[in-house]
C-alpha cells in the first residue's frame, strides 16, 4: 500500500469551481463495482475516500444527481458536473469523497472493494478486503476502519 499523506488534503472538481479541503485522516478507501457507480463514473468502478463529514469543506456550488441510487445522495459540481462526493442515508457523519477530486489521488489506494457480484470480469484492484455486496453491519464496517487505521 502507498504511504498516505497527512491531512490537510486539498482538491477540486474538473473546472475548479468546487474546491475541497479535508482536515482529517481518511476512515477508509474503497472501490465500488456496483452498476450505479459504473454508470455514474463512466468506468468499471468508482474510487472513494471516506472521511468524517465535519472535516470535509467544499466551496462552490454543488447540485445533486444520480437520483436512481436508492439510499444515497450524490453531489456534483454545478458547472462541470464532476462527481464530487456521496452521502449515505443514515450515515450523515461520513462522506464518500471521489478519490479523483483530491490532488494526491494516487496516495489513496483502495483498501476494500465492494459489490464484486457486479464487478466486470476483467477488472482488478489491489484491495486487501473484498465483499460480494456491502458490509452487512456497522460492526463489520468499524472493523474495516480499524484495520485501515493501523496502516
Amino acid at each position: 500500500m502507498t504511504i498516505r499523506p497527512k491531512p490537510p488534503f486539498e482538491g477540486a472538481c474538473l473546472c475548479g469551481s468546487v474546491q475541497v479541503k479535508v482536515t482529517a485522516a481518511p476512515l477508509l478507501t474503497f472501490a465500488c463495482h456496483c452498476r450505479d457507480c459504473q454508470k455514474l463514473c463512466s468506468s468499471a468502478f468508482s474510487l472513494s475516500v471516506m472521511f468524517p463529514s465535519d472535516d470535509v469543506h467544499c466551496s462552490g456550488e454543488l447540485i445533486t444527481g444520480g437520483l436512481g441510487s436508492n439510499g444515497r445522495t450524490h453531489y456534483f459540481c454545478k458547472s462541470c458536473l464532476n462527481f464530487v462526493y456521496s452521502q449515505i442515508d443514515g450515515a450523515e457523519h461520513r462522506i464518500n469523497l471521489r478519490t479523483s477530486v483530491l490532488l494526491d489521488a494516487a496516495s489513496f489506494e483502495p483498501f476494500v472493494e465492494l459489490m464484486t457480484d457486479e464487478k466486470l470480469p476483467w477488472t482488478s484492484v489491489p484491495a486487501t478486503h473484498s465483499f460480494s455486496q456491502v458490509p452487512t453491519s456497522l460492526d463489520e464496517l468499524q472493523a474495516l476502519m480499524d484495520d485501515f487505521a493501523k496502516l
Side-chain angles (χ1 to χ4, degrees):
M1 168 150 302
T2 305
I3 295 175
R4 286 179 278 152
K6 303 281 186 219
F9 307 110
E10 295 184 356
C13 66
L14 182 62
C15 73
S17 294
V18 172
Q19 296 288 314
V20 176
K21 184 170 185 175
V22 183
T23 56
L27 300 171
L28 197 62
T29 57
F30 60 93
C32 182
H33 297 280
C34 79
R35 290 292 294 148
D36 285 351
C37 283
Q38 291 172 15
K39 291 177 181 182
L40 281 167
C41 294
S42 298
S43 182
F45 50 85
S46 69
L47 294 173
S48 298
V49 184
M50 182 187 294
F51 289 106
S53 57
D54 288 344
D55 296 296
V56 178
H57 310 281
C58 294
S59 63
E61 196 167 353
L62 294 165
I63 58 171
T64 58
L67 302 177
S69 300
N70 292 328
R72 296 167 292 217
T73 304
H74 305 293
Y75 294 86
F76 300 80
C77 169
K78 183 178 182 181
S79 297
C80 67
L81 302 179
N82 191 182
F83 191 6
V84 179
Y85 71 91
S86 297
Q87 191 102 52
I88 308 299
D89 293 351
E92 287 76 18
H93 56 287
R94 296 186 305 261
I95 283 179
N96 296 331
L97 187 67
R98 297 287 81 76
T99 304
S100 60
V101 171
L102 295 168
L103 291 175
D104 199 5
S107 296
F108 298 96
E109 183 177 301
F111 184 68
V112 178
E113 65 177 336
L114 306 171
M115 303 298 293
T116 59
D117 281 354
E118 299 180 28
K119 182 177 179 175
L120 298 177
W122 44 263
T123 304
S124 64
V125 296
T128 304
H129 300 278
S130 184
F131 292 87
S132 61
Q133 295 294 309
V134 295
T136 56
S137 71
L138 289 176
D139 289 340
E140 194 171 23
L141 177 59
Q142 187 61 55
L144 287 168
M145 290 189 292
D146 292 346
D147 283 351
F148 182 75
K150 294 175 189 173
L151 299 177

